[in-house]
Amino acid sequence: MSCLINRSLTFKYPVAVAGDGIYVIDKNGNRYLDGSSGAGVSCLGHSNTEVVEAMNEQAKKLSFASTVFYTTDIAEQLAEELVSRAPAGLRHVSMGNGGSEQVENAMKLARQYHVDTGNADKSIIIGREYSYHGMTIGTLGVSGHYQRRELYEPMLPDSFKIPPYFEYRHKAEGESIYEYSMRAAGYLEEKILQLGEKNVAAFICEPVVAATTGAVAANSTYFKRIREICDQYNVLLIFDEIFCGMGRTGTLYACEQEGVEPDILVMAKGLGAGYQPISAMLFSERIYQELLNGRGYLMLGHTYMSHPVTCAAALAVQNIIHRDNLLENVRSTGAYLKQRLITTFGDHPNIGDIRGRGLLLGLELVVDKQSKKPFDREKQLWKEIQTCAMNHGLMCYPNQGTVDGKSGDHILLAPPYIINEKECDELVSKLEMTLNELIATP
Ligand code: PMP
């Protein structure tokens, strides 16, 4: 009996003891192909000694210096690196540890900006249905992952949501992509007017929705219209790129592919690749100037902000991503993997949709393709897939809530950026064995 609590109180987890490229190895010597980088984290795989050495170097020099008193060279260097490659308007950055922490910061920053610019009524953050922004009370409040919200619902702050952009399930028969994009973006304007523009502080969304609906992207028509609406009503636009950012979709920032810049952008997972827990928030010059003219400090601050060892790890990770041209690999190997999935599962009666960008891909599971009906929620197919895939030596990231935040199952694939085509073949073949075992094929 273990006294350690991970997640499930009953599941007997294998004990991970080592990493080898894209594989995790357990105590019994079993090797698992990491087809999801854990939960979208380990983008450099599991045994990058260069990152470990960079952490070591920093830890030997200075492990920690409180941001109450100091800045450090390593945090300054990482800030410069992130800002130099960020969308042009995002010129300032703060660093923390977890994704939820950074989403909380983004919401608070939006509030401070509006208060400091004389719009003290602005406090509402609008989110999208079926998006996920974190596990704290505040971030669950703006999340539309109803399965994760359910237990805490009475504790959560009032929630203001618009429907998602989700072609497979929400685009009407005969509606063009353009028409659907304009309709989906139009929900934001309706919501702002309904709540009163003087009350709305920000709109938050994931440019590519990861965990809740499984790699659902939109397009630049949609995001350009969202940007216009935000500008028109003085509503800040927050992009949550915690999962989809830092190269995962083939560009360093996912929003580069839409040609739209947010006012605030949060990132985490791929930033430190799991070598250290680090997250960051970028924000615009305009916000910075107003804060400077206002109270002159950020009403945020956590003990481990800009922790030197986390910054050293993230800087090393980012240097490797660019030096080794890994974003090119995300694009080309991502295209190869998607094609392999389409060839293998395109005609599978229970795979309704195969989607995603770069190395962020999703397969949606349905009872039949015609009705797009999801599997019974109680069956918990996603859990069965996770366990069965592990038995076949594969980590993938199945989830539930695809259709309405509660029901519907999908499998998310997000392997490390260093994966090659042969390893993609192995991934697909292990996934095929898993699905053959669990769901009857034609
Ligand atoms: N936002 C998104 C889009 C995420 O995917 C996650 C984590 N899965 C979070 C926020 C929360 O991050 P964390 O678990 O590090 O708090």
Side-chain angles (χ1 to χ4, degrees), residues 140-176:
L140 264 183
V142 289
S143 294
H145 195 312
Y146 291 98
Q147 201 208 41
R148 293 184 186 170
R149 287 173 60 108
E150 214 168 14
L151 172 65
Y152 305 108
E153 206 66 63
M155 301 167 75
L156 300 181
D158 287 345
S159 157
F160 307 94
K161 301 264 164 35
I162 62 166
Y165 182 95
F166 192 175
E167 279 168 34
Y168 177 64
R169 295 216 164 254
H170 292 243
K171 187 170 88 57
E173 193 75 26
E175 193 175 31
S176 71

Side-chain angles (χ1 to χ4, degrees), residues 7 42 53-54 63 79 81 120 146 185 197 215 253 266 278 285 314 327 339 351 361 372 391 398 422:
R7 296 193 181 208
S42 306
E53 272 159 28
S63 299
E81 162 66 22
Y146 291 98
E197 66 175 285
Y253 294 94
V266 290
I278 179 164
E285 183 64 26
L327 297 186
Q339 196 46 51
I351 308 283
L361 300 170
K372 300 184 182 175
N391 291 338
K422 195 163 153 276

